[in-house]
Amino acid sequence: MTLRTTATRRSPGLQAAAILPDIVCLAKSNSGYAMPMALTLLRLECDACEPGEHSATFRGYKPAFVAAAQALELCWSDRTPEARTTALGGQVGHAFAETACRHGLPAPRGCGLARGLPFIRPGTAREVCDAAFRNGLLLETAGVHDQVVKLRPPLTAAAGQLERGLKLIDRAVAR
């Protein structure tokens, strides 16, 4: 399925970095209904195929395409999700900055809801993730030496859930 749009809205993250990419690759549950789906977005002038021209068995799961089109139409037809995501990203950024300051950590990384809390001593990020897991929060590590606790909550996270998770992270760091 090829979705063509004349929308000029760009990603706030890309905008903040002053980037206008030719191609953007996305993956995870972009369908909006937890069906796995990858997308390749490209500027119209970079598209050499007509609708339906690129077709093969590896193309994708059609129910996910239909769900994604519906999710885009219903969920992203106005700026509400963007504003909500920006607000939740600010909540995470503020909480991570406070945790870093309180525990003498390097400055947090990332933007929006994709954030990382770095540690200096190797293994600390894994210990924090393990402590958080024991309290019901699943986190990952990132970085060349797994020195960063990575947080990428879903766009649909409720503010209260996010607040609870951020408190659990702070407690895990303090352990």
Side-chain angles (χ1 to χ4, degrees):
M1 169 188 269
T2 302
L3 292 175
R4 294 189 184 258
T5 180
T6 56
T8 56
R9 205 177 303 161
R10 296 188 323 203
S11 160
L14 293 173
Q15 260 179 325
I19 297 171
L20 179 59
D22 292 331
I23 299 173
V24 176
C25 296
L26 305 168
K28 299 293 180 209
S29 61
N30 294 316
S31 73
Y33 296 99
M35 292 183 211
M37 180 177 173
L39 300 171
T40 302
L41 308 175
L42 49 117
R43 290 194 298 146
L44 194 55
E45 58 267 23
C46 297
D47 189 0
C49 296
E50 293 298 318
E53 192 173 56
H54 172 44
S55 179
T57 57
F58 56 82
R59 192 160 176 235
Y61 181 57
K62 291 186 190 214
F65 286 111
V66 173
Q70 189 66 32
L72 287 170
E73 184 67 32
L74 291 174
C75 300
W76 296 95
S77 59
D78 63 19
R79 289 200 146 345
T80 302
E82 183 180 335
R84 186 176 179 284
T85 301
T86 299
L88 292 177
Q91 180 183 357
V92 173
H94 180 73
F96 268 23
E98 284 186 347
T99 295
C101 184
R102 190 172 21 261
H103 301 288
L105 302 174
R109 302 173 183 172
C111 64
L113 283 172
R115 303 284 178 145
L117 191 59
F119 294 86
I120 297 168
R121 188 175 60 79
T124 305
R126 169 55 38 216
E127 292 168 8
V128 169
C129 289
D130 290 346
F133 182 75
R134 286 190 295 275
N135 289 305
L137 182 63
L138 182 61
L139 296 168
E140 295 180 289
T141 60
V144 176
H145 303 288
D146 287 333
Q147 75 277 16
V148 178
V149 169
K150 179 172 71 170
L151 180 67
R152 292 182 55 194
L155 299 177
T156 56
Q161 288 175 318
L162 194 55
E163 183 65 32
R164 181 172 176 254
L166 292 167
K167 286 179 181 177
L168 286 172
I169 292 170
D170 189 71
R171 257 186 272 148
V173 172
R175 74 198 169 355

